[in-house]
Amino acid sequence: MEGSPVFIPKTQIHRIENQSDIVLKIIEIQKGDYLGEDDIERIEDDFSRA
């Protein structure tokens, strides 16, 4: 739903998918002492990112 926040708890395995033809814009907000991306563990990656 437009403007609805989604909270994903730390360590929660998750995937986000746009199931419509409408452009989906996601604003990611991180909180905590460390905000780097090198702590992301990719379980599956359809886009072959390292």
Side-chain angles (χ1 to χ4, degrees):
M1 179 183 293
E2 184 175 338
S4 297
V6 175
F7 176 74
I8 302 170
K10 185 177 181 178
T11 73
Q12 178 68 46
I13 295 174
H14 62 281
R15 177 178 290 232
I16 298 173
E17 179 181 357
N18 183 5
Q19 297 182 336
S20 76
D21 294 332
I22 300 170
V23 173
L24 174 65
K25 294 182 182 179
I26 297 175
I27 300 171
E28 177 182 358
I29 299 172
Q30 297 175 308
K31 64 179 186 176
D33 294 332
Y34 181 76
L35 303 177
E37 291 195 25
D38 60 339
D39 61 344
I40 295 173
E41 179 182 352
R42 299 201 186 277
I43 307 300
E44 290 181 31
D45 190 351
D46 296 339
F47 304 102
S48 301
R49 291 172 287 203

